[in-house]
Amino acid sequence: MVRLLAALVSVAVLGACGLPASSDVQPGRRVGDNVAPRARVVVNPPAPGAPPEVIARDFIRAGAAFQEVDEKQQVVGRAFLAPGSVDRWRPTALPTWVYDTRTQMTIARLRGNQVRLTVAVVATIDESGRYSELAPGTLRSLDLGMTQVEGQWRIQLPEAGFGLWLNTDDFDQVLAPYRVHYILSNQRRLVADVRWFPTGPRVATALARAQLGAVPSYLNGVVDSGVPEGTRLAVDAVNVDALGVATVTLTNSAETIDPARRRAIWAQFFATLTQAPGVSSISVEVQGIGRIPVSNVPNTVTSLGDLGYSTDAPPAPTTGLKRANDVLERVTPAELDEGSPAPPTAKPTKAADGLPQISTGYVDLALSADGGDIAAVAASRAELVRWRGTARIPEAAFGESLTNPSYAVDGRLWIAGTAQAHTRVWTFDAVAPQPGPPTVVRADWLEGRRVVNLAVSPDGTRAAVLSRLPNDTDFRMDVAGVVRASNGQATTLAAPYRQGEPLTRFVDVTWLDSMSLVVLAQDKQEDPLRPFKVDLGQGVGLRRVGQLDLD
């Protein structure tokens, strides 16, 4: 089974890394700390007498240094612009396009003192910091007006303004991924959403502004924010003092100081802002009132635990199954350690270790987190069967074109398929001693498509859904929040958030942790299927030229 193999392979890789079995306990940095100094991108000012084509090219290159200033404390890139265009250049407020350094930028002279620049773009980052990878061969063009200023050619930007074009060599020097946090409904646990922001001295402010934004649509109904809608920073920047305390000053409203919100507000800002280099703690204040008090919290908050919150997800399963024809055998990560010889094991026998004998006519086995429930689908894709121990639990017919079954942390079994010509997602209670009918999970955005496979994240907050059109085209991978009723049962999949672009022909998916997945897919139609790691909000690394060549 692809799902099982993918999970076992990931464990095997970890086992082969040669890590020591034990060591002394030593204090370390918090997971996610950014400690490396920011590398500077140094560019030159406009060369005297340079023609329009050179001025346009060098301005694009100078964009990577939009946070750097010269000896006169002026941003170098602005020197390429005509006076009326300086305010039209908004590197952090308009989209960023990432172009491939390996392909040459073309510059054509047009009529009317204009030049056209064309590049092969591989990714884009929108105004909110969301990253998307683009299909191979995608081109982007920009027309720039040119004018003479004191005898030198300078650029007139479009009236709509201009953001950034970054090449793939500069990308990781200028931008970095950060996690913005939200409150899991009715729990003191945080769920992260990844955004990209410029590194540098204002990253704490950028993170604070992002935290003030609305819950992303793919998590609507799944998470909440303690920050009241409409709240803004009361000052232009987040101040970070010499002790590493970042002070966030919010605009005043009755809701801002609501006791029911205070702890959540602190938890969100702490988890998000302490990713910024040099920030080790926070203080949340309201303009004109002062620090927002939270009961039973130390004056200096040094961990989420101080606030009673966590980002911990349930532990990963520690056992798996190995199948040989109709015989199953339990396996553990230790048995997959390629760095040491496997211990001798007896040849598996039928019904060994309380496991059922499963006919080869049933495929794509799945194992529940507690190891007590097994599910499989018939080769016809029209029948689901479960086993509790050695007891077979047949399910009444409910659909066709069934996907691989998948267990979630809450003990429910997920599966998708079609019923009466409509795409459906179902869950089954795999804990109850007696089988019951499936429950439909609404996903209106899947109408007109067919689900290839799906899997629920280890923390139960999101589902990864692979789908295609009925004519076997337009394969895509989406992540959607799992909306639950008050009793915890999944009812709806929130709006889709496309991931894994521009891979195609997705076949299977499994989660490595709550923020990363492995998919079995193709990068080009003629290539074989192979696994790709997909980091939520970070793609498959197309921006890192040489790691994944999709040309």
Side-chain angles (χ1 to χ4, degrees):
M1 183 186 70
V2 172
R3 188 186 315 279
L4 180 60
L5 287 176
L8 295 183
V9 166
S10 68
V11 176
V13 170
L14 291 176
C17 289
L19 297 176
S22 62
S23 66
D24 295 334
V25 176
Q26 298 177 354
R29 293 189 181 274
R30 190 174 56 84
V31 173
D33 275 354
N34 289 315
V35 297
R38 183 173 65 94
R40 293 189 62 194
V41 178
V42 180
V43 298
N44 296 318
E53 295 90 341
V54 172
I55 292 294
R57 180 200 65 197
D58 290 353
F59 168 68
I60 294 298
R61 178 66 180 87
F66 75 91
Q67 297 187 98
E68 304 288 348
V69 295
D70 59 19
E71 64 278 1
K72 298 179 181 179
Q73 298 300 301
Q74 299 296 316
V75 176
V76 177
R78 292 177 181 170
F80 292 86
L81 302 176
S85 287
V86 171
D87 291 338
R88 294 179 182 177
W89 187 32
R90 301 193 290 275
T92 60
L94 291 173
T96 294
W97 296 84
V98 185
Y99 66 94
D100 193 342
T101 309
R102 299 171 301 173
T103 59
Q104 186 174 2
M105 177 188 298
T106 62
I107 306 176
R109 191 79 175 261
L110 306 178
R111 293 180 179 179
N113 288 335
Q114 285 193 320
V115 294
R116 174 172 294 165
L117 294 80
T118 303
V119 292
V121 287
V122 297
T124 183
I125 297 174
D126 69 15
E127 299 90 328
S128 67
R130 295 208 176 279
Y131 171 91
S132 299
E133 288 172 334
L134 304 172
T138 301
L139 299 179
R140 178 79 176 173
S141 293
L142 173 67
D143 290 350
L144 296 175
M146 307 298 297
T147 187
Q148 292 268 342
V149 178
E150 297 180 356
Q152 303 294 323
W153 286 108
R154 293 296 181 260
I155 296 170
Q156 291 179 318
L157 291 176
E159 290 185 9
F162 178 71
L164 280 179
W165 279 11
L166 281 178
N167 66 49
T168 46
D169 290 341
D170 292 335
F171 182 87
D172 285 322
Q173 306 298 333
V174 178
L175 296 164
Y178 297 92
R179 297 184 178 187
V180 180
H181 295 83
Y182 303 94
I183 309 300
L184 187 60
S185 300
N186 302 318
Q187 297 187 39
R188 286 192 176 180
R189 188 150 57 90
L190 299 182
V191 175
D193 177 51
V194 172
R195 312 284 182 85
W196 289 78
F197 299 110
T199 57
R202 291 184 61 83
V203 66
T205 301
L207 290 171
R209 293 187 189 282
Q211 191 64 77
L212 292 171
V215 170
S217 60
Y218 82 103
L219 290 175
N220 268 339
V222 181
V223 297
D224 298 313
S225 178
V227 182
E229 184 178 354
T231 302
R232 303 182 309 278
L233 291 180
V235 294
D236 289 339
V238 171
N239 178 62
V240 182
D241 66 19
L243 298 177
V245 179
T247 299
V248 181
T249 305
L250 304 177
T251 52
N252 189 357
S253 73
E255 288 183 310
T256 306
I257 57 174
D258 180 355
R261 295 177 177 266
R262 295 174 187 172
R263 192 176 299 270
I265 292 174
W266 273 76
Q268 289 177 261
F269 278 112
F270 179 88
T272 298
L273 265 63
T274 51
Q275 297 170 95
V279 176
S280 58
S281 186
I282 66 164
S283 178
V284 185
E285 301 180 356
V286 173
Q287 187 178 37
I289 297 178
R291 176 183 167 112
I292 299 177
V294 181
S295 60
N296 301 317
V297 170
N299 288 332
T300 301
V301 176
T302 59
S303 72
L304 275 178
D306 291 342
L307 296 161
Y309 277 82
S310 75
T311 57
D312 298 333
T318 56
T319 62
L321 295 178
K322 183 168 65 176
R323 184 183 193 183
N325 296 320
D326 61 352
V327 178
L328 301 180
E329 177 186 6
R330 294 193 188 276
V331 293
T332 64
E335 296 174 84
L336 299 172
D337 186 351
E338 297 177 357
S340 59
T345 57
K347 183 178 181 180
T349 58
K350 294 179 180 180
D353 196 22
L355 295 173
Q357 178 183 352
I358 299 179
S359 165
T360 55
Y362 291 100
V363 296
D364 296 318
L365 275 63
L367 180 68
S368 63
D370 63 5
D373 209 80
I374 299 172
V377 293
S380 65
R381 297 284 169 180
E383 180 189 5
L384 170 70
V385 177
R386 290 173 38 224
W387 288 264
R388 179 77 53 78
T390 58
R392 186 173 186 271
I393 306 174
E395 299 287 354
F398 61 93
E400 299 175 340
S401 302
L402 299 178
T403 65
N404 296 350
S406 172
Y407 287 92
V409 67
D410 61 0
R412 294 193 73 87
L413 176 69
W414 287 64
I415 197 167
T418 60
Q420 298 178 341
H422 292 284
T423 297
R424 292 285 183 267
V425 176
W426 300 275
T427 67
F428 290 83
D429 187 346
V431 177
Q434 297 297 324
T439 299
V440 174
V441 179
R442 283 191 59 184
D444 295 342
W445 50 272
L446 281 170
E447 192 62 39
R449 301 185 63 83
R450 296 291 182 265
V451 177
V452 177
N453 266 313
L454 80 167
V456 178
S457 62
D459 60 4
T461 61
R462 290 168 273 221
V465 182
L466 310 180
S467 67
R468 59 173 176 80
L469 290 178
N471 64 357
D472 208 34
T473 63
D474 189 32
F475 282 75
R476 59 180 290 161
M477 171 184 174
D478 293 288
V479 171
V482 178
V483 182
R484 300 179 182 274
S486 58
N487 63 358
Q489 184 168 307
T491 61
T492 310
L493 292 184
Y497 179 22
R498 189 164 187 175
Q499 300 289 295
E501 302 166 285
L503 300 178
T504 186
R505 196 159 289 279
F506 295 96
V507 172
D508 203 3
V509 59
T510 191
W511 292 80
L512 296 178
D513 55 44
S514 60
M515 297 297 288
S516 58
L517 310 96
V518 170
V519 294
L520 191 63
Q522 290 176 314
D523 54 3
K524 291 189 285 286
Q525 291 290 347
E526 64 274 14
D527 285 354
L529 291 166
R530 63 186 182 98
F532 292 89
K533 183 172 182 282
V534 179
D535 293 309
L536 189 62
Q538 301 184 57
V540 292
L542 183 58
R543 66 188 185 282
R544 299 186 179 95
V545 176
Q547 289 191 12
L548 182 61
D549 187 354
L550 297 184
D551 290 342

